[in-house]
Amino acid sequence: MLLRIGDKIVNRNKIYQLVDDMLDMRRQGFSQQEAANSLGIDRSLVSKLETVGEVRKGARLALVGFPIENCQELRQISEEEGVDFVLLMSEKERWNFLQSKSGVELFNGLMEIMATLRKYDIIIMLGSNLRIKLMETLLDKAVIGLQIGESPIEDDRYVDPERLRSLIRELVV
């Protein structure tokens, strides 16, 4: 879409594309300077655009849950709300994870997940009363439990997306 600003014609879509490219590069780990050099803009513009769009600073947030019926919907909300790490599984995905590995592979996989979660300041846990308690004990940090049933849960549970969104927003203020 073209816009007239004084005696200039400005391509709004080109600006949008540049900002999208810049944000994609920053998410991939490029420094501000590297992104700026690649896009042919000043580093200060990258910094200013990030500042204008910044939603929050501070606590890094993770979301873990199983067995969840509406995983994709909750992933979308997590992305929209800036959750840093998301691990959601349906009952079928949970069983596939367990059955596709040898004992050692399963143990190492679980240890990797726990090591990853220790990097986050707050973990939201969607699960049974027992799983939430175990997560609190294993991580020894802020675990916010959203109980979806009593243990053992053997079928997928629907989680109200707006309830999750509200909880995330409470935590990141």
Side-chain angles (χ1 to χ4, degrees):
M1 173 179 203
L2 300 177
L3 303 169
R4 177 171 290 285
I5 301 175
D7 61 348
K8 293 186 272 189
I9 302 292
V10 176
N11 184 336
R12 178 181 285 193
N13 291 335
K14 187 174 180 180
I15 293 169
Y16 290 158
Q17 187 60 54
L18 179 108
V19 171
D20 285 344
D21 292 346
M22 179 208 71
L23 293 173
D24 286 343
M25 292 177 77
R26 293 289 288 137
R27 284 184 63 186
Q28 292 171 26
F30 286 77
S31 70
Q32 288 182 347
Q33 189 63 59
E34 290 168 333
N37 290 348
S38 177
L39 297 169
I41 58 177
D42 291 332
R43 186 210 54 81
S44 62
L45 178 59
V46 175
S47 175
K48 286 178 181 161
L49 287 170
E50 286 181 16
T51 299
V52 167
E54 185 175 302
V55 174
R56 71 175 169 94
K57 261 187 185 172
R60 291 178 38 109
L61 187 61
L63 171 65
V64 178
F66 54 88
I68 306 297
E69 177 181 319
N70 53 329
C71 291
Q72 189 55 39
E73 185 177 19
L74 301 183
R75 284 186 195 104
Q76 178 66 36
I77 284 173
S78 299
E79 182 177 321
E80 291 169 7
E81 297 298 328
V83 174
D84 301 293
F85 175 83
V86 178
L87 176 62
L88 297 172
M89 290 187 221
S90 66
E91 182 69 0
K92 182 179 178 183
E93 290 167 326
R94 178 168 64 159
W95 278 106
N96 285 343
F97 177 79
L98 293 171
Q99 294 173 336
S100 67
K101 297 172 178 12
S102 70
V104 170
E105 290 170 329
L106 178 59
F107 181 77
N108 288 339
L110 292 173
M111 295 297 285
E112 286 176 21
I113 291 169
M114 297 310 292
T116 298
L117 290 174
R118 292 189 66 75
K119 298 175 187 174
Y120 296 92
D121 303 304
I122 302 170
I123 294 90
I124 298 172
M125 177 68 193
L126 311 175
S128 69
N129 54 329
L130 177 63
R131 298 287 187 253
I132 292 168
K133 280 282 184 213
L134 285 171
M135 187 70 77
E136 290 169 343
T137 302
L138 288 169
L139 291 176
D140 192 32
K141 59 174 52 210
V143 174
I144 309 301
L146 189 59
Q147 188 172 325
I148 60 172
E150 295 290 321
S151 191
I153 301 174
E154 297 177 356
D155 57 331
D156 290 341
R157 298 296 170 94
Y158 179 82
V159 175
D160 179 359
E162 291 310 312
R163 183 174 178 202
L164 177 63
R165 185 186 305 274
S166 177
L167 177 59
I168 293 168
R169 287 180 176 176
E170 285 178 39
L171 295 172
V172 297
V173 172

